[in-house]
């Protein structure tokens, strides 16, 4: 379909939008881009359903294997031990392997890593399975974001980016009631069988219809950013890494992942052990943050795109707004530890575990405003690696608080209170660092000066 110039091979392409990227913003390409976006959404749904499984089966796993809360926290943390390694290694080779085989291979490895949990298993095998799954799922969000960005010009990326990140919410939203029913009807091993089958179906669909788009092709120079800057193909790493926006987004997402990891690892147990809801009640209540996150993510992505199209500063839309939302996450988390059980507490829990999801894609899109196209996959992988450290630390820290508490409820309360403080402080600092408008033009001027 495309020649070496990146333009359609036929002159009859309809509805072509005149833009600095030439012929890569046609209606036909955008339609195919939305198909790929839907497949990547399914990819992310399975990704986060996998993450949530151990948390949903946590009480049964602890009872079956005789684990302490600290040991269970170690199981949850083990998922992130090689998460950063996978994010850096696989995204670093994404351009060489190609999106079709990389995404398909990662999904296949997810399925293989969970097969040992379908039958009788022990603590060591459970740890090993989660480590391998974390290695394979580490690059998922970076790869998905990178691929979807190849189908849309920078000014159009906020909404598709936000849509694929609704998988963060939709995966556990679907998994919570389904896997809870499977666990209570059969056992927790059958929950992993369901995930293996779901993963295999998504892999098959992706291998049939998934691929990269034309915007990132080696012959197409990216000349359109949401900030108006003309980015080069690449720039010296020393110059790029001096841009505070990169570090600010990495810190912001680290704080956000502190919340996300606690949501998928400890929230189901907190609802049962810390607050006292029944297994069925907890199975449905845990879906509230995910449902809220899915709706808010689409809404925020759409609003961000509209604001950018109207010329509103990217520093505001992709820096200030996400930072404020992340700070509000921390405040809500502190709040639900001090209010009594009831509707008010569930509202705060829902906000604490959905606001980060709502603006995650918007914050990630801010990287595309600053990072040249040929370096974007590597940078996205490095940012994912950095924010995954929140997933390594948070489950273990909370498990320690739970074990050291006078009661389970007191331990959970102190743990979530500490988490809220970390998120508020880190997000506030990040907000002062993220300046896409300024940094994108600095990158452009540096490249021009270098000739």
């Amino acid at each position: 379909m495309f020649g070496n110039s990146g333009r359609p091979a036929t002159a009859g392409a309809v509805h072509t939008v005149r833009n600095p990227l030439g012929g890569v913003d046609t209606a036909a390409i955008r339609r195919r881009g939305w198909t790929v976006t839907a497949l990547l959404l399914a990819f992310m749904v399975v990704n986060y359903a996998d993450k949530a499984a151990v948390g949903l089966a946590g009480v049964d796993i602890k009872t079956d294997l005789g684990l302490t809360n600290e040991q269970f926290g170690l199981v949850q943390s083990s998922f992130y031990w090689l998460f950063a390694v996978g994010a850096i290694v696989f995204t670093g080779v994404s351009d060489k392997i190609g999106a079709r085989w990389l995404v398909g291979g990662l999904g296949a490895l997810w399925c293989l890593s969970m097969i040992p949990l379908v039958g009788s298993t022990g603590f060591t095998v459970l740890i090993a399975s989660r480590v391998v799954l974390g290695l394979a799922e580490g690059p998922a969000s970076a790869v998905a974001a990178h691929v979807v960005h190849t189908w849309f010009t920078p000014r159009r990326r906020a909404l598709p980016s936000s849509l694929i990140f609704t998988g963060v919410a939709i995966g556990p939203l679907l998994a919570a009631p389904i896997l809870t029913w499977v666990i209570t009807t059969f056992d927790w091993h059958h929950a992993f069988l369901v995930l293996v089958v779901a993963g295999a179906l998504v892999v098959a669909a992706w291998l049939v219809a998934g691929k990269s788009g034309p915007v990132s092709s080696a012959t197409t120079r990216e000349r359109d950013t949401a900030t108006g800057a003309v980015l080069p193909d690449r720039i010296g790493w020393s110059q790029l890494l001096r841009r505070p926006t990169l570090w600010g987004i990495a810190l912001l997402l680290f704080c956000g992942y502190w919340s996300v990891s606690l949501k998928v690892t400890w929230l189901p147990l907190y609802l049962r052990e810390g607050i006292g809801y029944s297994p069925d009640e907890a199975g449905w209540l845990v879906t509230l943050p995910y449902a809220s996150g899915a709706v808010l993510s689409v809404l925020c992505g759409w609003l961000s795109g509209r604001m950018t199209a109207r010329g509103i500063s990217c520093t505001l839309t992709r820096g200030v707004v996400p930072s404020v939302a992340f700070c509000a996450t921390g405040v809500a988390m502190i709040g639900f530890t001090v209010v009594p059980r009831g509707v008010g507490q569930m509202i705060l829990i829902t906000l604490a575990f959905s606001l980060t999801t709502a603006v995650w894609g918007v914050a990630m899109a801010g990287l595309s405003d600053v990072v040249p196209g040929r370096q974007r996959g590597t940078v996205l992988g490095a940012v994912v690696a950095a924010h995954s450290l929140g997933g390594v630390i948070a489950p273990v820290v909370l498990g320690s608080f739970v074990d050291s508490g006078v009661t389970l409820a007191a331990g959970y309360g102190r743990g979530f209170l500490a988490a809220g403080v970390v998120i508020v402080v880190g997000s506030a600092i990040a907000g002062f660092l993220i300046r896409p408008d300024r940094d994108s033009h600095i990158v452009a001027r540096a490249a021009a000066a270098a000739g």
Side-chain angles (χ1 to χ4, degrees):
M1 181 177 179
F2 293 93
N4 290 334
S5 67
R7 293 185 294 271
T10 63
V14 296
H15 303 304
T16 300
V17 179
R18 300 180 65 86
N19 68 81
L21 280 170
V24 297
D25 193 25
T26 67
I29 290 173
R30 291 198 299 275
R31 284 195 297 270
R32 181 63 188 273
W34 286 114
T35 298
V36 172
T37 299
L39 290 171
L40 290 170
L41 171 58
F43 178 73
M44 293 296 288
V45 165
V46 173
N47 177 280
Y48 273 84
D50 293 345
K51 286 182 175 69
V54 170
L56 294 169
V59 174
D60 298 82
I61 291 174
K62 286 200 302 178
T63 302
D64 190 14
L65 302 184
L67 306 181
T68 66
N69 288 302
E70 191 165 358
Q71 286 176 314
F72 183 74
L74 188 66
V75 169
Q76 296 286 43
S77 173
S78 68
F79 176 86
Y80 298 99
W81 292 352
L82 296 182
F83 197 88
V85 174
I88 293 172
V89 171
F90 287 112
T91 53
V93 300
S94 59
D95 289 332
K96 298 180 179 64
I97 295 176
R100 173 168 289 160
W101 297 110
L102 179 58
V103 172
L106 290 174
L109 187 54
W110 301 353
C111 298
L112 291 172
S113 71
M114 291 186 290
I115 288 176
L117 303 184
V118 172
S120 180
T121 189
F123 179 65
T124 302
V125 174
L126 178 59
I127 288 280
S129 171
R130 299 303 285 178
V131 170
V132 175
L133 182 63
L135 173 69
E137 291 194 342
S141 60
V143 168
H146 183 49
V147 174
V148 83
H149 288 176
T150 68
W151 285 101
F152 298 92
T153 58
R155 293 180 186 275
R156 300 184 186 274
R157 285 176 182 157
L159 180 56
S161 293
S162 294
L163 281 173
I164 61 171
F165 282 102
T166 61
V168 175
I170 296 174
L173 176 63
L174 296 176
I178 294 172
L179 296 186
T180 298
W181 178 83
V182 171
I183 292 165
T184 55
T185 304
F186 301 99
D187 57 37
W188 62 272
H189 300 288
H190 280 79
F192 287 96
L193 176 61
V194 171
L195 293 172
V196 169
V197 173
L201 292 174
V202 170
V203 168
W206 174 262
L207 292 177
V208 170
K211 60 181 289 187
S212 290
V215 177
S216 67
S217 68
T219 56
T220 302
R221 183 176 180 182
E222 190 158 354
R223 296 180 179 276
D224 178 34
T225 68
T227 64
V230 180
L231 295 182
D233 290 332
R234 62 171 61 247
I235 193 173
W237 285 105
S238 62
Q239 293 177 311
L240 185 60
L241 293 177
R242 287 202 293 268
R243 297 300 95 225
T245 294
L246 271 65
W247 298 100
I249 291 176
L251 175 59
L252 186 67
L253 297 183
F254 169 85
C255 295
Y257 218 70
W258 198 288
S259 169
V260 169
S261 65
L262 293 181
K263 176 170 61 176
V264 299
T265 58
W266 281 106
L267 180 58
L269 282 83
Y270 174 58
L271 292 173
R272 290 181 60 179
E273 298 179 330
I275 306 179
Y277 290 107
S278 70
D280 288 338
E281 289 173 329
W284 284 105
L285 289 173
V286 78
T287 66
L288 294 178
Y290 294 110
S292 173
V295 173
L296 290 175
S297 182
V298 175
L299 178 61
C300 288
W302 179 79
L303 286 174
S304 177
R306 295 285 295 174
M307 292 169 70
T308 300
R310 292 177 179 274
I312 296 176
S313 164
C314 285
T315 296
L316 175 63
T317 61
R318 297 178 182 179
V320 175
V321 171
S323 298
V324 170
F326 278 46
C327 284
T329 288
V331 172
M333 192 172 292
I334 293 169
F336 75 66
T337 66
V338 296
V339 301
R341 168 176 161 166
V343 174
Q345 186 187 47
M346 281 309 306
I347 290 174
L348 290 173
I349 289 174
T350 299
L351 292 174
F353 293 111
S354 65
L355 288 174
T356 51
T357 304
V359 293
W360 194 280
V362 172
M364 289 284 278
L367 289 173
S368 297
D369 296 328
V370 178
V371 182
R374 292 193 180 185
Q375 295 168 289
R376 190 170 300 134
T378 301
V379 171
L380 284 169
V383 169
V384 170
H387 76 57
S388 72
L389 294 176
V392 174
I393 301 169
V396 175
V397 170
L398 188 61
S400 298
F401 272 109
V402 174
D403 270 342
S404 63
V406 177
T407 63
L408 284 175
Y412 277 114
R414 291 173 55 215
F416 281 118
L417 176 64
V421 172
V422 169
I423 293 169
V424 169
V425 173
S427 299
I429 295 172
F432 287 102
L433 297 176
I434 301 173
R435 297 290 185 272
D437 297 282
R438 176 198 63 195
D439 286 348
S440 63
H441 285 86
I442 291 176
V443 168
R445 286 197 299 269

